[in-house]
Each structure stands twice: as C-alpha cells, then as structure tokens.
C-alpha cells in the first residue's frame, strides 16, 4: 500500500492506475473485500483517474468507495469524508448538481474539527 501511495505521490498517475487494482486484489485476498486497505487502494485508483483528467471515469470508483466507507465506517469518519470530498470535486468538475450537497457536508465537518 505504501508503494502505491509513493507512486501516486510521485505524479506517475498512469502507473498508480495500473498498480492500484493489483494492490486492492492482493489485500482483498489476504484481509477480505471490506478491509480498510482495500478501500484505500480503490480510492487511489479513482484519484489517479481524476488526476489524469478522466473525471467521468473517476466518478464510479469515488462513489463506490464513499458508499462502502459510509456503511463500514459511518458518515462522519475522516476516510468517509475524504471520499465525500473526492466525489464532490469530481461531480463539481462534471457540473453535477449533487456536488453542492457534498460541499455543504464537508464544510460542516471542517467547521466542527477546525482547519
């Protein structure tokens, strides 16, 4: 997982996009489909698509991870809110009206927790 994040952070989003499913599958085989690290790998897959300018392609992974994190971690968990922000940013760039709801939810969380 750490290597996936390093590849992503290096700016090689194409490599991160290729590597993320491999990491997710390997972790899933070891720890199960609902493990946090599987969701993290899938998150970086969506993030790589986004960074490559493939906003429409990044919507489904971001939406799926948000739904799974909400169910597993709850709506106020920091990982869930990161997923909410990622989906909101994607929807905003796609001019989707739902992005306004997500921005309000994130702003409320930031007001409670501080910058």
């Amino acid at each position: 997982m750490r290597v996936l994040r390093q590849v992503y952070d290096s700016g090689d989003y194409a490599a991160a996009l290729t590597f993320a499913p491999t990491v997710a599958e390997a972790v899933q085989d070891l720890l199960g489909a609902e493990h946090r690290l599987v969701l993290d790998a899938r998150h970086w897959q969506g993030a790589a698509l986004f960074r490559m300018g493939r906003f429409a392609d990044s919507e489904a992974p971001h939406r799926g991870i948000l739904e799974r994190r909400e169910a597993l971690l709850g709506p106020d968990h920091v990982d869930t809110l990161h997923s909410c922000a990622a989906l909101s940013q994607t929807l905003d760039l796609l001019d989707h009206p739902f992005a306004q709801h997500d921005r309000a939810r994130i702003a409320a969380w930031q007001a409670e927790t501080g910058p």
Side-chain angles (χ1 to χ4, degrees), residues 24-69:
E25 289 171 21
V27 173
Q28 181 173 324
D29 289 346
L30 291 172
L31 303 173
E34 301 301 319
H35 194 275
R36 182 186 63 84
L37 292 177
V38 174
L39 300 180
D40 287 352
R42 301 271 185 228
H43 169 81
W44 293 115
Q45 184 177 1
L49 287 165
F50 180 88
R51 290 293 190 152
M52 294 171 70
R54 295 172 55 185
F55 308 124
D57 293 334
S58 73
E59 180 182 351
H62 284 311
R63 187 178 302 281
I65 295 306
L66 174 59
E67 290 170 359
R68 290 171 71 191
R69 282 180 168 168

Side-chain angles (χ1 to χ4, degrees), residues 3 5 17 28 41 43 45 55 69 71 81 83 99 106 113:
V3 174
R5 181 64 193 264
L17 179 60
Q28 181 173 324
H43 169 81
Q45 184 177 1
F55 308 124
R69 282 180 168 168
L81 293 166
S83 290
I106 294 163
T113 61

